Amino acid sequence: MSDRFGRFENLPEDRRRAIVDAAFEVFGGEDYARASTADIARRAGVSKSQLFFYFRNKRELYLYVLGVLTRRVADAVVDERWYEIDDFFEIMRYAVTRKACFVGLNPRVTEFFVRAFYLGHRDVSGTLDAFMKDAVPAMVQIYLGHVRWDRFREGVDPMRVVRMLVWCGDGYLHERLRGGGELDMEAMLSEFLVWLDWLKRATYREEYL
């Protein structure tokens, strides 16, 4: 991020949020290449020159918005109850249920992330690939440090289970997008809960089933 980032961070919160929300709406509704920075500026109530006073280019703005939305989702999911749950599969159930509620109230969130990670433009695809590569280990370290990993059977690598859940979600989304169907978050949630149950039975010690 350029030194312009500091200028943006020094804006009043309502001004920052107006610009981020405008960018989020435009990037969520259009492919990256077609998303208009003039449209973003208009929706945010600023001039295009003001927008580029804070962000060097569209790519920088896009990646900033990605970071903000990622934090918003995490804030919506991780609450006080989160750290009271030490069972891996229960916390995954809790996470996807809360995320589905958040997305239900903010449908553009799904559109933004789908366009980012499944329809990514060459200008940002490399950065997004690196982001995803680092995201899973970071998530485990930051949010799952209190989980009882000893409940897994001997010889089971919990990180492999985490990656399998990520792959299941990726596969489901790729299948839906390839078929041209709309994403149904309730249907995906139902499928994910089935995957959780299967993996728990396959990987947990008998006394924790």
Side-chain angles (χ1 to χ4, degrees):
M1 196 65 67
S2 71
D3 57 1
R4 301 176 186 226
F5 174 70
R7 303 173 187 171
F8 184 72
E9 288 294 287
N10 287 329
L11 285 174
E13 183 179 352
D14 59 336
R15 292 284 304 281
R16 293 200 312 270
R17 191 173 188 95
I19 292 171
V20 168
D21 287 351
F24 159 53
E25 287 289 330
V26 172
F27 285 130
E30 288 284 0
D31 291 339
Y32 175 86
R34 290 200 298 267
S36 165
T37 52
D39 191 15
I40 292 171
R42 179 183 59 78
R43 292 180 184 225
V46 300
S47 67
K48 189 173 177 180
S49 61
Q50 282 179 297
L51 188 65
F52 288 114
F53 180 74
Y54 304 122
F55 298 96
R56 185 170 47 194
N57 49 42
K58 182 165 76 169
R59 178 181 182 275
E60 191 170 87
L61 172 60
Y62 185 85
L63 295 175
Y64 180 84
V65 173
L66 171 66
V68 170
L69 289 183
T70 301
R71 291 192 296 274
R72 285 186 190 177
V73 173
D75 289 344
V77 171
V78 180
D79 59 2
E80 292 181 2
R81 169 69 178 140
W82 177 273
Y83 292 102
E84 296 173 0
I85 306 171
D86 62 6
D87 183 273
F88 173 78
F89 290 100
E90 287 306 310
I91 208 167
M92 288 296 99
R93 181 183 296 270
Y94 189 74
V96 296
T97 302
R98 285 186 61 82
K99 187 179 292 185
C101 290
F102 178 79
V103 168
L105 296 173
N106 304 273
R108 272 278 196 250
V109 170
T110 301
E111 295 176 9
F112 180 92
F113 282 116
V114 166
R115 289 185 185 281
F117 295 111
Y118 297 95
L119 306 171
H121 188 269
R122 63 181 180 275
D123 286 355
V124 294
S125 58
T127 302
L128 295 178
D129 288 344
F131 178 90
M132 282 302 295
K133 182 179 179 181
D134 296 337
V136 173
M139 177 195 74
V140 172
Q141 182 176 2
I142 296 170
Y143 298 116
L144 300 178
H146 63 295
V147 164
R148 290 279 306 277
W149 301 109
D150 59 314
R151 294 180 177 177
F152 285 92
R153 295 177 185 172
E154 186 176 355
V156 172
D157 179 0
M159 278 303 300
R160 182 168 290 175
V161 178
V162 173
R163 288 193 296 269
M164 286 180 68
L165 288 171
V166 172
W167 295 335
C168 284
D170 281 348
Y172 180 91
L173 288 170
H174 275 296
E175 181 181 84
R176 296 296 297 173
L177 292 170
R178 188 169 54 247
E182 293 184 3
L183 294 178
D184 183 334
M185 290 306 297
E186 288 190 12
M188 184 173 181
L189 175 60
S190 296
E191 286 291 327
F192 196 88
L193 295 179
V194 171
W195 305 333
L196 284 180
D197 187 50
W198 285 348
L199 282 170
K200 183 174 183 177
R201 292 200 305 269
T203 62
Y204 252 29
R205 298 177 185 272
E206 288 292 333
E207 59 266 34
Y208 297 116
L209 295 177

